[in-house]
Amino acid sequence: ETPLARRRLRTWLRLLRLTRHTENQLREFLRVTHDTTLPRFDVMAALYQAGGPMRMSDLSKRLLVSNGNASTIVNRLEKDALVTREAEAGDRRVVKVALTDAGRAQFETQATGHEAMVDDLLGALEHDDLDMIRDLLRKAGEPLRDKGT
């Protein structure tokens, strides 16, 4: 029988392959269908979910990227009039970003296609399968939460 540590490693590699394959499919879909990138989509998704202006520092944390990476993407989105950026009234060092109406509309269109693509990619999974995966991922993530990450 294969040692447990080896099975855990194989499981991690399967998860990684699935994640990379799915991400590559989504990148290609966004590039071909919407002439955009996954990082741009992710920034717009975070801003959309925030429902209003969001601090750049909070945006970076949410996306798990550096402030510099987030700023580069926000610069391009601002140039395309999809986001606005302004300094906070009380502290000019704090910058808040928000989707414009055009950005919100563009994201909603992209998100509809993105959701359909994910649905297609994971189409073999039924409710019970998804519940089981959710529960197993929560269990697998417990040691990370215990360490405060």
Side-chain angles (χ1 to χ4, degrees), residues 16-140:
L16 192 56
R17 267 194 306 278
L18 174 63
T19 299
R20 286 184 176 162
H21 173 75
T22 303
E23 189 173 292
N24 288 339
Q25 294 291 314
L26 291 169
R27 283 180 194 281
E28 185 67 5
F29 166 77
L30 289 168
R31 184 184 69 77
V32 170
T33 309
H34 297 287
D35 191 30
T36 195
T37 65
L38 189 56
R40 282 173 60 110
F41 178 84
D42 289 343
V43 166
M44 292 174 74
L47 293 172
Y48 187 86
Q49 290 169 351
M54 184 177 207
R55 290 178 172 199
M56 279 294 296
S57 57
D58 293 336
L59 179 62
S60 298
K61 284 179 195 158
R62 183 179 221 158
L63 298 171
L64 304 175
V65 299
S66 70
N67 282 338
N69 284 352
S71 289
T72 299
I73 297 164
V74 167
N75 288 344
R76 292 185 191 130
L77 290 169
E78 186 179 33
K79 185 178 165 197
D80 294 340
L82 299 174
V83 301
T84 57
R85 183 191 331 223
E86 59 185 60
E88 198 168 84
D91 186 348
R92 307 288 301 163
R93 295 169 300 171
V94 176
V95 176
K96 287 192 171 184
V97 183
L99 287 173
T100 62
D101 289 342
R104 191 171 295 101
Q106 188 174 111
F107 173 75
E108 287 171 352
T109 300
Q110 293 171 359
T112 299
H114 180 275
E115 182 178 352
M117 185 68 157
V118 171
D119 185 51
D120 184 54
L121 290 168
L122 302 180
L125 302 173
E126 298 297 331
H127 284 285
D128 290 346
D129 301 320
L130 295 168
D131 290 343
M132 185 184 322
I133 291 169
R134 179 203 59 217
D135 294 345
L136 290 170
L137 289 173
R138 281 184 182 155
K139 183 176 181 178

